[in-house]
């Protein structure tokens, strides 16, 4: 007999797994071990794979075969638009937090402007300063960048948690069927 999976369980579970993983990043700090980051990214990828694959399957199975190409195009466009908007929103959060970092006393205005533009600019500016001032500027920039990532992770976790809850309630009764094992 075919195995049956709940669409809402897989989609809500996948989105919830991504939300929990992003919530872990709220405690991100500069010396967080790479295995923890790798585990977080593994869960994000797995959750995204499950939820996005199942939603695409539901979309394609809900239209007549002759409209499958159009449904697939709409599904892919919605996915790409959502990804682009998410990156823009979360990137804006990181940038907004980063650009507000405090600069140590005695750093020239041109170095401050370059450092506030990007983390790469901060690295370049720090290299032109005396070692103590350069190290202080770079440490401040790195802390601000990490803080921005933490805020973005919190925002992403909140949105994905809300989406997982919405998926749980909106996808009641939907089931996915596997092909029988003997075919």
């Amino acid at each position: 007999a075919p195995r049956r999976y709940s669409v809402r369980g897989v989609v809500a579970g996948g989105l919830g797994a991504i939300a929990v993983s992003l919530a872990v990043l709220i405690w991100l700090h500069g010396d967080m071990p790479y295995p923890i980051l790798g585990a977080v990214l593994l869960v994000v990828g797995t959750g995204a794979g499950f939820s996005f694959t199942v939603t695409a399957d539901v979309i394609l199975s809900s239209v007549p075969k002759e409209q499958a190409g159009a449904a697939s195009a709409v599904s892919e466009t919605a996915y790409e638009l959502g990804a682009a908007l998410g990156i823009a929103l979360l990137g804006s959060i990181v940038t907004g937090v980063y650009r507000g970092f405090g600069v140590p006393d005695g750093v020239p205005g041109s170095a401050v402007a370059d450092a506030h533009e990007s983390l790469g600019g901060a690295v370049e500016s720090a290299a032109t300063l005396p070692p103590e001032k350069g190290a202080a500027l770079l440490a401040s920039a790195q802390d601000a960048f990490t803080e921005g990532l933490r805020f973005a992770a919190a925002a992403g976790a909140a949105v994905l948690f809300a989406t997982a809850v919405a998926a749980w309630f909106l996808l009641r009764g939907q089931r996915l069927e596997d092909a029988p094992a003997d075919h």
Side-chain angles (χ1 to χ4, degrees):
R3 294 182 300 176
R4 303 175 78 126
Y5 297 98
S6 163
V7 168
R8 84 176 183 165
V10 174
V11 172
L15 293 172
I18 300 169
V20 168
S21 295
L22 290 179
V24 168
L25 293 181
I26 293 170
W27 291 278
L28 180 70
H29 51 83
D31 51 350
M32 182 175 270
Y34 288 121
I36 292 174
L37 291 174
V40 166
L41 293 176
L42 177 66
V43 173
V44 167
T46 303
F50 278 123
S51 57
F52 298 149
T53 301
V54 170
T55 54
D57 184 62
V58 168
I59 290 167
L60 291 177
S61 66
S62 67
V63 299
K65 288 182 181 177
E66 52 278 349
Q67 294 178 347
S72 177
V74 169
S75 172
E76 185 64 24
T77 301
Y79 170 78
E80 294 296 335
L81 179 63
L85 289 175
I87 290 168
L89 174 66
L90 297 178
S92 295
I93 291 171
V94 173
T95 301
V97 171
Y98 172 78
R99 288 193 173 161
F101 76 86
V103 178
D105 292 333
V107 176
S110 62
V112 170
D114 289 344
H116 277 151
E117 279 302 308
S118 69
L119 190 55
V123 170
E124 289 177 14
S125 293
T128 66
L129 299 172
E132 287 175 11
K133 288 200 186 302
L137 174 68
L138 189 55
S140 184
Q142 289 170 332
D143 288 345
F145 186 78
T146 302
E147 187 72 10
L149 288 176
R150 292 174 61 219
F151 274 94
V159 168
L160 281 161
F161 179 73
T163 305
V165 169
W168 180 259
F169 288 109
L170 294 173
L171 295 174
R172 272 180 276 150
Q174 298 261 348
R175 298 205 72 75
L176 255 187
E177 294 200 26
D178 248 1
D182 51 89
H183 285 344

